[in-house]
Amino acid sequence: MTAHGRAPVLVVGGGPVGLTAANLLVARGVPVLLVERNATTSDEAKAISLDDESLRTLQQAGLDGPVLDIVVPGTGTRYYDRRGRPLLHARGPRPYRLGHPFKSQFAQPELERVLLDALTAHPLADVRFGTELRTVRERADGGGVTAGLGPPGGTGTPELLDAARLLACDGGRSTVRELLGIDMTGTSHRQVWLVADLTGDHHDERYGMHRGTPHRPTVIVPGRGGRCRYEFLLRPGEGEKGATPGFALLRDLVAPYREVTEDQVERCVAYTFNAVVADRWRDGHVLLLGDAAHMMPPFAGQGLNSGIRDAANLAWKVADVWHGTAGDSLLDTYEAERRPHATEVVRYSERLGGIVMTTSPVRALARDLAVRTLLRVPAGRRHLTEMRFRPVSRHRAGLVVGDHPLTGTQLPQPRVLVPPSLRPRPLDDVLGTAYALLGVDVPGTAWACFDTPDWPDGALGIRRIDVLLGDRLPPAGGTRPAVADADRALEEALGAARNRFVLVKPDRYVAAVLGPRDVPAVAAALRRHLPVTGLRPVRTGGPG
């Protein structure tokens, strides 16, 4: 038990997803015990790309500043054709649409150190490296789980500890998933790739490079301080999964791009990849996140980012349930909201790899011709350069009500004008950490439709905010906070909801777009996830 008299949330796995989930939880006032079987954070640069949605999630825990200090603010991905010529530069949609660079390169050891330093400095966090999970079972009273913890190797009697929830962030070989007998469905690929992280590199590009030459598909991702990631598809007989490739092979593969010495090799491994999704993501008080729930090929750079999306979706729900401001049923919306997109991203990563990294000269020729043809057409050029071919994360089930085009989508994060100073600020700084109800160009009298006993403002800490579109000044000293459009980005984000209300969930996804007649249906959907025993005041932070 903690000083709160309540069991903590147990996070199993000290990689980026586990550390992110733990930081999000303590930021919301939930005590956390994080255990990791390894003695320290990883010294290997595995994941190398953070997208804007991940950085926005870290912003919720106040970590975007320290993380931005260690990344390269990237400009997307440049694809090369079968002859090594530039084919396409995919930069994503409008820059800073979510308030951060679209795609940034980083070194995983540095990211883990930043996340761990923040977590260990928090009084609600108990971090134990060199500790593994051995057993887990549901408590007889239904109040959580009892976990058996001990040093790696399985010797000695495990320490038994009660936890309110267990978040399994322990990777593709998840011990938690194995203990619970949860299978994964999908495909294991046989292609072997050599991955090398090198220092002393000359590349200074702020984008990844995918070279689609059929005889040797290659990925190059420059980092900070002369670091660079190289990935090469190996031919039969050149390497085996899990084996350490010889230096001579690596030297020959990177020879077209640079010279390398053995002391410049930080990591060199041969691996294959999987495209699989866990058959279920929840088992009682245990929930799976990241690679424990889904694994995918690396070609879309979405493995870690998908795990951070899991953490963003789940952490606020676990916090609300822990604080007693939501019922257990809220956690059922996690898989309903996240599984469809994660599954789609797994399949998309497979398709992208099959196209971009094909070893077939015929398919490579067809690919290059198709791309060059599409680039001649404005709609085709936008589709490719803005990466509109990527699966869009949209909640179509879970905590969503209605079919408005914005419902279930992630609200962008433009800069907004906030009185009295009118200094532009990121929208999330105004939304706070709980739900937000935005009145988009609505008259003040329209808010009266929410002044009913059924609307759970007090139970959920819903923050009411007036949103003014167009070139207008937000009123100062009103009964509600107000924001105005700083640069027309707010108009672009919310113009479709003009004269209506937008209910935004704590993870910045839109739960509903509603008018007065929709209030009873939305209120009923929210109250379905409130505690059966009654309503208690929400614990929420954010600006006053």
Side-chain angles (χ1 to χ4, degrees), residues 242-261:
T244 300
F247 176 72
L249 174 62
L250 172 63
R251 182 189 58 212
D252 292 344
L253 291 175
V254 300
Y257 310 102
R258 60 165 289 179
E259 294 181 356
V260 62
T261 58

Side-chain angles (χ1 to χ4, degrees), residues 39-335:
T40 64
T41 54
S42 172
D43 60 358
E44 294 185 349
K46 301 172 185 175
I48 55 171
S49 177
L50 280 176
D51 64 20
D52 48 359
E53 190 170 350
S54 293
L55 286 169
R56 187 183 192 179
T57 295
L58 295 170
Q59 178 186 345
Q60 294 185 28
L63 293 173
D64 54 318
V67 170
L68 284 170
D69 285 340
I70 64 167
V71 305
V72 174
T75 61
T77 303
R78 180 166 293 185
Y79 297 95
Y80 294 77
D81 69 8
R82 68 193 187 282
R83 296 180 180 174
R85 300 170 300 187
L87 181 63
L88 162 71
H89 195 138
R91 298 176 181 270
R94 183 176 61 81
Y96 285 80
R97 179 175 176 271
L98 299 183
H100 297 282
F102 174 68
K103 181 180 180 183
S104 299
Q105 289 78 256
F106 70 99
Q108 182 166 326
E110 292 183 342
L111 176 66
E112 291 188 9
R113 283 193 291 270
V114 167
L115 298 179
L116 180 60
D117 288 347
L119 185 63
T120 54
H122 201 287
L124 291 177
D126 180 1
V127 180
R128 304 183 192 178
F129 276 73
T131 302
E132 69 176 3
L133 177 80
R134 296 185 190 170
T135 62
V136 60
R137 59 177 175 81
E138 290 283 320
R139 284 170 46 186
D141 62 4
V145 299
T146 298
L149 306 175
T155 59
T157 302
E159 172 194 2
L160 297 181
L161 177 140
D162 287 338
R165 305 279 165 185
L166 189 155
L167 306 189
C169 307
D170 51 344
R173 299 177 181 176
S174 170
T175 298
V176 178
R177 197 181 62 234
E178 182 178 346
L179 289 172
L180 296 176
I182 299 176
D183 292 328
M184 303 191 87
T185 300
T187 305
S188 295
H189 291 262
R190 296 181 178 179
Q191 286 184 330
V192 181
W193 284 75
L194 182 149
V195 179
D197 292 300
L198 308 181
T199 62
D201 202 90
H202 66 281
H203 283 98
D204 60 0
E205 295 88 348
R206 287 175 38 230
Y207 49 83
M209 291 163 272
H210 287 212
R211 297 184 171 273
T213 49
H215 68 280
R216 182 73 74 184
T218 300
V219 178
I220 303 173
V221 184
R224 292 171 67 103
R227 282 196 178 94
C228 193
R229 161 75 55 88
Y230 289 85
E231 301 182 4
F232 302 96
L233 177 61
L234 297 183
R235 298 173 185 143
E238 287 183 330
E240 299 291 335
K241 173 186 175 181
T244 300
F247 176 72
L249 174 62
L250 172 63
R251 182 189 58 212
D252 292 344
L253 291 175
V254 300
Y257 310 102
R258 60 165 289 179
E259 294 181 356
V260 62
T261 58
E262 291 191 62
D263 63 309
Q264 294 174 318
V265 182
E266 287 190 325
R267 174 183 181 233
C268 186
V269 298
Y271 80 102
T272 60
F273 53 82
N274 299 309
V276 292
V277 178
D279 293 345
R280 64 183 190 278
W281 294 17
R282 182 181 183 186
D283 191 304
H285 289 78
V286 179
L287 298 115
L288 309 183
L289 295 79
D291 283 357
H294 44 72
M295 291 185 283
M296 62 193 68
F299 307 114
Q302 286 297 298
L304 171 59
N305 293 297
S306 291
I308 293 179
R309 286 192 194 95
D310 297 342
N313 184 287
L314 185 58
W316 70 268
K317 297 174 181 176
V318 170
D320 278 7
V321 175
W322 193 92
H323 286 302
T325 57
D328 185 78
S329 65
L330 180 63
L331 299 180
D332 290 331
T333 67
Y334 164 57
E335 184 172 348

Side-chain angles (χ1 to χ4, degrees), residues 471-490:
D471 299 322
R472 293 188 290 159
L473 287 173
T479 57
R480 292 171 298 277
V483 300
D485 205 336
D487 57 5
R488 296 195 61 77
L490 191 63

Side-chain angles (χ1 to χ4, degrees), residues 26-29 60 319-320 323 428-436 460-463 506 508 538-544:
V26 297
R28 292 181 175 274
Q60 294 185 28
D320 278 7
H323 286 302
D428 287 4
D429 287 357
V430 183
L431 296 181
T433 61
Y435 295 82
L460 297 176
I462 299 175
R463 182 176 174 83
R508 314 310 188 197
V538 73
R539 296 171 60 100
T540 181

